[in-house]
Amino acid sequence: IISTAFFVSYLYYITYKFGVIPSISDSVYRTKNELLFFLFTLGVGAPIGYIGYSENVWELLLTGVFLTYVGISPKFKKDKKSIEDEVHSIGAIGAIGISLSCLAFRYDMWHPLATLVVFFTTMYIAKIRNLVYWNEIMAFILILIGLYFRK
């Protein structure tokens, strides 16, 4: 519930203020507030990590860690050869990939992963603008719903 509150609040704020942007992480360049972005990633990631810790599910613990990596490396565009770009990308892809894999393999909930693959493929074929943004949102929604209904 805490992760969902942080996710919805931050997403509402950036969408209301800036509209649809290339990615959620791009909001750092719009708001010019790295701390706000870090608090967002921490607010979403720490509760997921805590679920992993308290339920002995290492994949969810790692998801929380990876989301924190995203938050501590907000200026991912400053230099394509910087470690910040690598940490940010690994954190984002890792958090989504590991959490969806966890839902599929550990909780036998394949729907979120399959839905994201179909959603991404459809959006890609349709050449939808801001593809990363929409896929990040869909991934977060599917992950949060999956965590809510896990067994």
Side-chain angles (χ1 to χ4, degrees):
I1 294 176
I2 294 170
S3 292
T4 304
F6 271 91
F7 175 70
V8 170
S9 299
Y10 189 76
L11 196 61
Y12 176 79
Y13 169 71
I14 64 169
T15 304
Y16 178 77
K17 194 157 175 110
F18 307 109
V20 176
I21 54 181
S23 73
I24 295 172
S25 300
D26 269 36
S27 65
V28 171
Y29 296 98
R30 308 289 172 110
T31 64
K32 301 189 182 357
N33 190 336
E34 293 177 28
L35 179 61
L36 181 62
F37 183 73
F38 173 71
L39 292 174
F40 158 67
T41 59
L42 189 63
V44 173
I48 295 171
Y50 181 75
I51 291 169
Y53 174 76
S54 64
E55 295 181 7
N56 201 27
V57 179
W58 66 267
E59 301 95 334
L60 295 180
L61 178 61
L62 202 52
T63 295
V65 170
F66 275 134
L67 280 171
T68 304
Y69 287 172
V70 173
I72 63 171
S73 56
K75 295 288 191 166
F76 63 98
K77 288 184 177 180
K78 70 178 178 184
D79 180 5
K80 285 294 181 190
K81 304 229 186 275
S82 75
I83 192 163
E84 192 163 0
D85 176 52
E86 292 175 26
V87 169
H88 186 91
S89 298
I90 290 168
I93 293 166
I96 292 170
I98 289 172
S99 56
L100 287 172
S101 297
C102 175
L103 291 172
F105 291 106
R106 186 177 286 264
Y107 296 106
D108 199 31
M109 295 176 68
W110 291 88
H111 303 91
L113 179 59
T115 302
L116 188 64
V117 169
V118 170
F119 181 80
F120 175 79
T121 303
T122 304
M123 299 285 279
Y124 182 78
I125 290 169
K127 298 182 186 325
I128 300 299
R129 286 180 37 120
N130 302 314
L131 181 65
V132 173
Y133 178 82
W134 292 116
N135 280 286
E136 287 173 335
I137 290 172
M138 180 60 85
F140 272 116
I141 290 169
L142 293 168
I143 291 163
L144 293 172
I145 290 172
L147 289 174
Y148 183 76
F149 288 107
R150 74 189 184 285
K151 297 172 188 163

